[in-house]
Amino acid sequence: MTPPSMMRGTIGAAILVLLLAVCWATPTVHGQREWTVGDDKGWTFGVSGWENGKRIQSGDVLVFKYDPKMHNVVQVEEGDYNACTVTGPSKTYTSGNDHIKLSGGGKAFFICSVPGHCEQGMKIAVTAE
Ligand SMILES: [Cu+2]
């Protein structure tokens, strides 16, 4: 027979492990979620459309993974996104592992500004709910 006090300890530990597992599996519980752009392929040609149907929320973080010798990430305005140019206000990221937090909600537009890349689908338009 297991003494009742020891039983309680075991159940307590089991619940703690369960809670930790749940928290681990669902980061949304703690507010922000990280999205790796392009999933396994990362930020690359043809990534455009990856964002469709994703419930990205204000406060979430986009993670752009790529070879910094080949690509970059430039946050632009809608007109530049559509035209694949950088003429208006923009912000450039070049680390190859950029974490960009979507604060404030609304739309955000990202392209690769290396000539020709945006035209080959290195562009996403994200709507944070
Ligand atoms: Cu590129």
Side-chain angles (χ1 to χ4, degrees), residues 43-45 66-67 70-72 111-118 122:
W43 176 237
T44 187
F45 303 110
Y66 56 94
D67 181 348
M70 291 183 66
H71 303 296
N72 62 25
I111 68 171
C112 175
S113 75
V114 176
H117 289 198
C118 174
M122 284 196 80

Side-chain angles (χ1 to χ4, degrees), residues 53-60 102 104-107 126-129:
K54 299 205 163 49
R55 290 208 58 195
I56 297 169
Q57 300 192 307
S58 179
D60 285 1
L102 297 166
K107 289 192 169 185
V126 169
T127 305
E129 291 169 17

